[in-house]
Amino acid sequence: MAAVQWRSSGRNYDAELQRCRPEAALVEFGDYHPLKSIMVTDTKTRRGARKGSTSSSSSSSSSVPPDPLSSLLDGTDPLSMFAAASASEAPAMSHSASTGDLGRKRKEKEEEAVGPDFEPWLSKRGEILARFTTTEKLSINLFMGSDRGKAPSPGSSAVSEKVRTRLEELDDLEEGSQKELLNLSQQDYANRIEELNQSLKEAWASDQKVKALKIVIQCSKLLSDTSVIQFYPSKFVLITDILDTFGRLVYDRIWTMCSDPRPLPDSFTDDDVNDTAKETCLNWFFKIASIRELLPRLYVEAAILKCNRFMNKGGIQETLPRLTAMIRGIGDPLVAAYARAYLCRVGMEVAPHLKDSLNRNFFDLLGAFRQISSESVQNQLVLQRVEVPEYLTLYSPAINWILQCIAYRAPEPLLTEMMERCKKLGNNALLLNSVMRAFRPEFVAAGATDFIGMIKDCDEAGFPKHLLFGSLGRSLACADPPESERLTILNEAWKVVTKVRSPQDYVICAEIWVEFTCRHFSKREVNTVLADVIKHMTPDRAFEDAYPQLQSVIRKILTYFYDFSVLFSMERFLPFLDMFQKDSVRVEVCRSIMEIFIRHQEEPTRDPVILNAMLHICKTMHDSVNALTLEDEKRSLALLIVGFTRMVSFGRDFEQQLSFCVEARATFCNLESVLVQLIHTVNQLAMETSRVMRGSHSRKTAAFVRACAAYSFITIPSLSSIFSRLSLYLLSGQVALANQCLSQADAFLKAAVSLLPEVPRSISVEGKHRSSESFLLDFINNFLATLLVVPDHPEHGVLYLVRGLLNMVQDYTWEDSSDAKVRVYISALPLLAAMSQETYLYSIPKVDSNETLYGGDPKFLSEINKLCETLIGQILDHLKTLCRDEQSTRRQGAMAFSLFGVLLAHGDLRNNKLSQLAVNLWNLSHKHGHCETRVSVRTLEYIKHQARQADMTHLSDTVQRLALQSCT
């Protein structure tokens, strides 16, 4: 393959475009639809019938796989088919279903009677355990019975002997040896209770029912101990978990006895229960009735209350009033209150419709409140050094639960009656607080004025009024009071809130009422509230201990005030933000503000108040970035800042927009993606200026677009990503060309060329190292396309940018066994061929390209031809080296075919040497059979089609010398 003399073929781009346009064809749609199913028919008697006939009738039809979209239209989608199949194949429940599954299904069925709007006890459990803690040492008294309780005596076969043995075992529960565990921490105590719970399950699983009952009685007795009174609510939660487990085990055992030979229906009656199950159930109640102490007998019977269903229809209805009356015998008011709470909890689970027992428990609770001021209780508080307000809060979980059960779907007259009872009791603050928490928010909001009057009448010493107003505020955050009363409610509440001395108590209450203020009032009232919060939380840096509450205040304000022109016009909003001194919290608050801004700011803004405030917030986020900041965190912050910069627009005041970008560049210099966005913004600003001036710049606008180019030229080198720099140099050069800034465009393109040697051979993409070759080739191809319209510099010679690029490509250290350099050379040939045309394929308005500067000068064309010959020589030399192994020959064939395509499209094949070179390249590409036959066939068809053109007849000789060869 000797060197050839290159000559570019002449191109008439307009004529080629016309020939490439497809012919217009009329389409008759009729009843055709692209999603309509098609039946393929094959009729033996009519061989001439259409293959794609949509007729639904034929003599024989071959079944074809249905089109998935057509199946969807028919309604037979796979998900529906699976659902139907699973429904039809669901087997009936086996008679031998496990006890656990039966119990779980029954529990789900019975909870439906209460409804999802009823807050379950389980959701309150964690809050109680976290709230009521202690650092005091705790103790557990365990009553260990004799070994007779573990297994029956061998000779006790008679019924009387069996009963006597069981009674002796129960006596052991109370008369056995006592084991006391002292000096337990709160966690140790909880762990010990959990061990007892596991022991209960293990004893039950090993058929040691009496031992299981012993454990339950022992745990129930612990509820009479108030030696560490602050921990009592948490103790109640832990021990009632064991009672719940015991009640569930007993119920499931009896249920299983009833399920043989057929399962018991969920809505069973005592007539459906066999005698054996009834006897077992009655035996359990007899065992419990023999417990001597009141408290364990009460709790254990309440735990198996649901088992009354097995004995008689009205068993639960009769038992609840009796257990309610039994609680009156408990002397300690706190212990009695929690016993009533447990009874109400069990009652709501098994018989939520029996409201009388709930009401009776509440009225008994009201009657027992005078015991709180008794001498015995006061002495106990003095002994344990517990203040009365703290002691009263211990009642809150129990009273709240009882009132929640009563208020659930209760009629208005009943709630009103409860209110009147509280008033007669002397407006007890503890009860009033629980009423406002438990009753429906709509009921509380409608009578908010009455509640405020009752709060005023309460004794401040017993229960702080700010807690009462806090409970009222929670209800008013969920329901709206009458509009005429809202301002009065806010004034009355804030008079009390602002007098709270403890900063922690103040901010908890203020956080609640901020939402009410934001919801119903304007920025003036909200600004007043913020000023009061700043006044209370600034002294002694009290805000440092209240960051969660202060963050909640910000979130509530942003929920209702997302018009940032209104938000930042509040005088106290930014000073309020200044209280967030801790860096992590401060950044989190700024992030939440930015998220709301991006979500709700629909129109671009130029409001100086908003811009200054948002710049301050964004700068806070930016300044938090340091060497230890994770990349994900940087990316997240950068996205928020970029979102802000996109929403800034000064309209036709382009100079002001550029000034903003200059300020933003200085402010956000550590976040690269923000700088990239700013460069794009400035480039867009330059193009918008060109659009406004319709491509004809005045002296002022010409200076402005040069200033935009200078901004980009200064900013791009500060980026660390080399491919970001390359792409932005190229883009900015294109923008400069479009604005007739030739010297600036020249500087951008030269900077891009000079940067190429610095491109690393591998880059990190999503944490993985990848070769940079493909990225570099994409950039170079884009760069070559731009060079067509770039005029040569009068002082640097012909094609100086093209030569500079090719020199850099030649000197670049490519990967071993890489064809990238030769691919660049092949890509450069179409550019050089396009440069030799009289009229270029595309141009930039008001920019004289080389077609105008040289006007087809023979010297210019000679330079292009020489450069093309040099490139072809380099390519051919490289092809000669690719013959060592199969992989090399495959690469050789691909490269030869690529060069053949370039010669065919851009070379003048009337030149015999160039034509012969094309034939040789074709033969080389097919020599080893690696060329795809389909592509070769289509290429030959294209050449034959071109040869029929009047000015392309010379291709006829060439195509006759091209033969197909492929692997078989």
Side-chain angles (χ1 to χ4, degrees), residues 113-128:
V114 178
D117 55 336
F118 183 81
E119 185 179 3
W121 172 260
L122 190 62
S123 64
K124 301 177 180 292
R125 182 180 181 278
E127 178 186 354
I128 296 173

Side-chain angles (χ1 to χ4, degrees), residues 379-557:
N379 290 339
Q380 185 183 23
L381 298 182
V382 171
L383 183 64
Q384 298 193 35
R385 298 177 182 177
V386 176
E387 299 293 334
V388 173
E390 182 184 359
Y391 174 69
L392 291 177
T393 59
L394 301 177
Y395 286 84
S396 296
I399 299 176
N400 291 347
W401 178 257
I402 295 173
L403 285 171
Q404 178 185 328
C405 296
I406 293 172
Y408 180 66
R409 297 180 180 175
E412 294 289 334
L414 178 61
L415 300 181
T416 305
E417 180 186 357
M418 297 293 175
M419 289 288 300
E420 294 301 325
R421 293 258 185 166
C422 292
K423 288 182 180 179
K424 291 179 181 178
L425 196 64
N427 284 336
N428 186 285
L430 177 61
L431 276 177
L432 185 59
N433 185 64
S434 296
V435 164
M436 289 186 291
R437 281 177 169 266
F439 283 14
R440 291 192 299 273
E442 295 80 7
F443 178 82
V444 176
T449 305
D450 295 335
F451 278 101
I452 289 177
M454 296 170 65
I455 292 173
K456 288 182 178 179
D457 295 336
C458 289
D459 184 11
E460 179 74 27
F463 200 90
K465 288 185 179 180
H466 70 270
L467 296 181
L468 298 175
F469 274 105
S471 299
L472 177 62
R474 289 189 184 92
S475 296
L476 297 183
C478 302
D480 298 334
E483 187 174 355
S484 58
E485 300 176 5
R486 291 172 185 173
L487 184 58
T488 303
I489 292 172
L490 179 61
N491 289 334
E492 293 294 337
W494 207 258
K495 286 179 185 177
V496 176
V497 173
T498 194
K499 292 179 181 178
V500 178
R501 294 183 178 180
S502 168
Q504 195 64 32
D505 292 339
Y506 168 84
V507 75
I508 291 174
C509 198
E511 171 207 349
I512 298 170
W513 281 93
V514 162
E515 183 168 4
F516 178 80
T517 309
C518 295
R519 187 169 178 168
H520 300 295
F521 297 97
S522 65
K523 68 174 185 178
R524 184 172 67 88
E525 289 79 8
V526 176
N527 191 60
T528 303
V529 170
L530 291 179
D532 194 65
V533 174
I534 295 172
K535 176 183 175 182
H536 279 79
M537 302 307 296
T538 303
D540 300 326
R541 301 178 67 87
F543 53 78
E544 292 182 346
D545 299 323
Y547 284 140
Q549 290 78 19
L550 295 178
Q551 283 181 272
S552 177
V553 170
I554 288 290
R555 285 193 297 268
K556 290 175 179 178
I557 292 175

Side-chain angles (χ1 to χ4, degrees), residues 48-287:
R50 284 188 299 127
K51 288 185 178 181
S53 173
T54 58
S55 173
S56 60
S57 63
S58 72
S59 59
S60 66
S61 61
S62 60
S63 60
V64 295
D67 176 58
L69 295 179
S70 302
S71 299
L72 288 174
L73 290 175
D74 294 338
T76 57
D77 62 285
L79 294 181
S80 300
M81 294 170 63
F82 292 150
S86 62
S88 62
E89 296 175 5
M93 184 175 61
S94 173
H95 293 301
S96 59
S98 65
T99 302
D101 292 339
L102 290 171
R104 184 163 55 254
K105 291 181 179 179
R106 286 195 309 276
K107 185 176 180 181
E108 293 173 356
K109 183 72 175 176
E110 289 160 1
E111 285 180 348
E112 292 176 0
V114 178
D117 55 336
F118 183 81
E119 185 179 3
W121 172 260
L122 190 62
S123 64
K124 301 177 180 292
R125 182 180 181 278
E127 178 186 354
I128 296 173
L129 291 175
R131 179 182 175 189
F132 297 97
T133 60
T134 183
T135 56
E136 300 288 334
K137 294 300 181 181
L138 304 168
S139 62
I140 296 181
N141 293 319
L142 299 181
F143 296 86
M144 310 303 293
S146 64
D147 291 339
R148 287 179 298 171
K150 295 182 180 179
S153 302
S156 57
S157 58
V159 175
S160 58
E161 181 67 20
K162 181 179 180 180
V163 172
R164 185 178 62 81
T165 303
R166 292 291 178 88
L167 291 175
E168 290 176 355
E169 291 171 353
L170 292 174
D171 287 341
D172 286 339
L173 301 181
E174 302 182 41
E175 296 176 357
S177 60
Q178 177 176 327
K179 179 181 178 181
E180 185 174 13
L181 302 177
L182 302 175
N183 297 325
L184 297 177
S185 66
Q186 178 179 328
Q187 186 60 46
D188 294 337
Y189 190 92
N191 293 339
R192 181 66 65 177
I193 295 296
E194 180 59 30
E195 290 175 8
L196 289 173
N197 199 357
Q198 292 300 322
S199 299
L200 168 64
K201 296 177 183 178
E202 293 171 3
W204 191 272
S206 60
D207 204 28
Q208 299 183 47
K209 304 298 188 295
V210 174
K211 180 179 179 182
L213 182 58
K214 286 181 181 182
I215 295 174
V216 176
I217 295 175
Q218 292 168 8
C219 294
S220 302
K221 287 183 178 181
L222 296 176
L223 289 174
S224 62
D225 177 23
T226 58
S227 57
V228 184
I229 202 166
Q230 303 97 319
F231 185 65
Y232 191 84
S234 294
K235 180 196 292 187
F236 170 81
V237 169
L238 295 172
I239 293 177
T240 51
D241 285 347
I242 296 179
L243 291 167
D244 294 340
T245 301
F246 177 73
R248 188 163 53 252
L249 291 172
V250 174
Y251 187 82
D252 288 345
R253 170 176 166 76
I254 301 174
W255 175 280
T256 305
M257 297 173 67
C258 299
S259 299
D260 190 17
R262 56 184 178 80
L264 198 64
D266 288 337
S267 57
F268 70 91
T269 63
D270 58 307
D271 296 333
D272 300 321
V273 181
N274 57 48
D275 292 339
T276 305
K278 286 184 178 180
E279 182 182 354
T280 303
C281 184
L282 191 61
N283 186 29
W284 275 110
F285 281 105
F286 284 158
K287 288 179 183 178

Side-chain angles (χ1 to χ4, degrees), residues 579-717:
M579 287 197 296
F580 295 97
Q581 299 289 322
K582 188 177 179 181
D583 290 341
S584 59
V585 179
R586 189 181 184 89
V587 171
E588 191 63 32
V589 170
C590 292
R591 184 198 296 270
S592 63
I593 295 174
M594 288 303 306
E595 289 173 352
I596 296 296
F597 177 81
I598 294 172
R599 188 182 308 152
H600 293 284
Q601 188 71 26
E602 298 178 355
E603 298 294 332
T605 182
R606 59 184 299 173
D607 188 331
V609 176
I610 295 179
L611 296 185
N612 289 333
M614 296 306 292
L615 274 174
H616 172 73
I617 291 171
C618 290
K619 186 177 187 303
T620 300
M621 294 193 300
H622 169 269
D623 292 346
S624 68
V625 175
N626 53 44
L628 301 178
T629 305
L630 298 176
E631 288 300 322
D632 286 345
E633 179 72 9
K634 290 182 181 179
R635 190 180 303 112
S636 175
L637 295 177
L639 284 175
L640 293 174
I641 297 175
V642 165
F644 161 65
T645 60
R646 286 177 174 172
M647 296 306 298
V648 177
S649 175
F650 290 89
R652 290 291 185 89
D653 192 350
F654 296 153
E655 292 182 350
Q656 186 65 32
Q657 185 83 31
L658 181 60
S659 298
F660 169 79
C661 291
V662 172
E663 182 181 0
R665 179 179 62 187
T667 306
F668 309 124
C669 57
N670 290 331
L671 294 175
E672 184 162 315
S673 54
V674 178
L675 297 179
V676 171
Q677 175 60 34
L678 291 174
I679 294 170
H680 284 304
T681 300
V682 171
N683 285 333
Q684 185 179 3
L685 193 60
M687 294 307 298
E688 182 68 14
T689 305
S690 177
R691 187 189 66 81
V692 171
M693 300 302 295
R694 299 181 180 179
S696 299
H697 285 293
S698 64
R699 179 178 298 179
K700 182 178 181 180
T701 59
F704 176 76
V705 295
R706 286 196 294 270
C708 292
Y711 178 97
S712 299
F713 194 77
I714 293 172
T715 309
I716 292 174

